[in-house]
């Protein structure tokens, strides 16, 4: 279920009920109260007054929840949205159970649900960690690293990434790092961005012939290169599927007690 759609519907419903009360129901309650008071010489007792002026329960709930839901919708749609990392495809940069924050205005402001950009800010840059709607199932969010920009030629062969015919520089940092004894920890540089990736020398991994990234699309890859369901398998991410740029980890939770010791900036 699309949480953005549910949130928009909740805001719309509570807003309509609240507006209906302000324009129609509340004046009617006051009119009934004024009529009853005018027909009673000794005045209305407090219990009767309260009963005549009391808001129906749907109005009471709408008045209470509408401003809260509206603020949540605005912040989540245009400022920051939290996500939880469900898989290891971005290791070692992001671990399963990391809770991340996504900048929703870095790539322009977008309407909730339809995700149409109505204010342009910046475009994704090579090396950004980006959240996007999976092209095959728009209700599912993916997180990967931007590798290919529009017009780039991308090839992946023998665990080596090539962009426009040039091998992307990478340097071995450690063999069998703690927690991942089967992996090689390498530092990779994409443009001005340097980050760590995993390669498993015992796993042949995917091979991909050279492809050209279409205009308005991006080529995405996970940092866990041999264990990532990314553009090497299903193709390009269109601009309209972009959600935002991931910029920080604020909590880690793997089923036990939440941990805040891994708070960090995402590189």
């Amino acid at each position: 279920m699309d949480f953005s759609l549910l949130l928009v519907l909740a805001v719309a419903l509570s807003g309509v009920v609240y507006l209906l009360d302000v324009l129609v129901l509340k004046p009617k309650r006051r009119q009934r109260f004024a009529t009853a008071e005018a027909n009673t010489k000794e005045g209305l007792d407090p219990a009767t007054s309260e009963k005549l002026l009391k808001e129906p329960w749907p109005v009471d709930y709408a008045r209470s929840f509408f401003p809260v839901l509206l603020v949540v919708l605005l912040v989540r749609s245009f400022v920051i949205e939290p996500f939880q990392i469900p898989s290891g495809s971005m290791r070692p940069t992001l671990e399963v159970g990391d809770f991340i924050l996504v900048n929703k205005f870095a790539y322009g402001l977008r309407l909730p649900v339809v995700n149409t950009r109505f204010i342009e800010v910046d475009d994704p840059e090579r090396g950004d960690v980006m959240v996007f709607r999976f092209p095959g199932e728009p209700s599912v969010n993916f997180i990967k690293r931007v590798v290919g920009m529009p017009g780039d030629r991308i090839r992946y062969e023998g665990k080596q990434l090539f962009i426009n015919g040039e091998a992307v520089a990478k340097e071995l940092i450690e063999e069998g790092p703690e927690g991942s004894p089967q992996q090689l920890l390498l530092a990779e540089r994409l443009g001005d961005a340097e980050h760590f990736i995993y390669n498993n020398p015992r796993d042949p991994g995917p091979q991909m012939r050279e492809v050209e990234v279409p205009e308005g699309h991006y080529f995405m890859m996970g940092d866990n290169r041999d264990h990532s369901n990314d553009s090497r398998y299903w193709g390009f991410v269109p601009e309209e599927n972009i959600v935002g740029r991931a910029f920080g980890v604020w909590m880690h939770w793997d089923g036990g007690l939440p941990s805040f010791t891994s708070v960090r900036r995402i590189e």
Side-chain angles (χ1 to χ4, degrees):
M1 184 64 71
D2 191 331
F3 182 74
S4 295
L5 177 58
L6 292 177
L7 187 56
V8 168
L9 292 176
V11 170
L13 179 61
S14 59
V16 167
V17 173
Y18 185 35
L19 184 63
L20 179 65
D21 182 65
V22 170
L23 297 179
V24 179
L25 302 180
K26 190 173 184 178
K28 286 185 176 181
R29 289 197 302 273
R30 288 180 173 176
Q31 181 61 46
R32 286 197 300 268
F33 174 80
T35 301
E37 191 174 41
N39 293 334
T40 305
K41 294 181 180 180
E42 59 275 7
L44 297 174
D45 60 88
T48 303
S49 299
E50 182 180 358
K51 183 177 180 181
L52 290 172
L53 294 173
K54 184 178 181 180
E55 296 176 340
W57 68 264
V59 173
D60 184 37
Y61 276 100
R63 180 172 56 81
S64 300
F65 286 110
F66 174 69
V68 176
L69 293 172
L70 181 61
V71 169
V72 171
L73 176 64
L74 293 176
V75 171
R76 190 178 183 274
S77 299
F78 306 126
V79 185
I80 290 176
E81 184 175 359
F83 287 91
Q84 182 182 11
I85 301 301
S87 74
S89 68
M90 282 297 292
R91 297 184 67 218
T93 304
L94 298 170
E95 298 289 341
V96 177
D98 280 347
F99 282 74
I100 66 170
L101 295 174
V102 174
N103 185 330
K104 297 300 291 288
F105 59 85
Y107 304 137
L109 297 183
R110 297 172 182 272
L111 294 173
V113 182
V114 295
N115 211 42
T116 302
R117 184 164 66 170
F118 64 95
I119 295 180
E120 295 187 8
V121 179
D122 285 324
D123 291 320
E125 297 182 359
R126 197 190 319 279
D128 285 358
V129 177
M130 188 171 80
V131 174
F132 56 93
R133 296 180 176 185
F134 180 51
E137 193 174 349
S139 62
V140 176
N141 291 312
F142 270 32
I143 180 168
K144 307 291 179 187
R145 193 176 295 276
V146 179
V147 168
M149 307 291 289
D152 282 345
R153 291 176 289 109
I154 307 295
R155 175 164 60 98
Y156 191 78
E157 188 175 277
K159 300 188 184 299
Q160 176 62 55
L161 173 63
F162 296 86
I163 300 178
N164 298 324
E166 296 185 6
V168 173
K170 59 182 181 179
E171 177 186 357
L172 178 63
I173 302 299
E174 185 179 359
E175 295 185 17
E178 183 180 355
S180 298
Q182 303 296 320
Q183 302 280 10
L184 299 179
L185 177 65
L186 304 106
E188 182 182 75
R189 178 170 289 277
L190 287 174
D192 296 330
E194 184 174 273
H195 56 276
F196 295 115
I197 65 171
Y198 275 157
N199 270 149
N200 187 340
R202 298 173 182 83
D203 188 337
Q207 308 292 319
M208 191 191 74
R209 61 179 178 80
E210 186 172 272
V211 295
E212 183 172 340
V213 184
E215 286 300 317
H217 292 72
Y218 298 89
F219 192 93
M220 312 297 296
M221 290 179 67
D223 291 346
N224 194 353
R225 291 293 163 80
D226 299 309
H227 303 281
S228 174
N229 180 18
D230 53 36
S231 289
R232 292 171 292 178
Y233 296 95
W234 41 256
F236 311 104
V237 174
E239 186 276 335
E240 59 266 23
N241 283 41
I242 293 174
V243 173
R245 178 174 59 82
F247 67 91
V249 176
W250 64 277
M251 186 182 75
H252 180 84
W253 183 62
D254 56 7
L257 293 175
S259 170
F260 297 92
T261 59
S262 58
V263 173
R264 64 191 183 278
R265 181 177 178 83
I266 297 174
E267 300 294 345

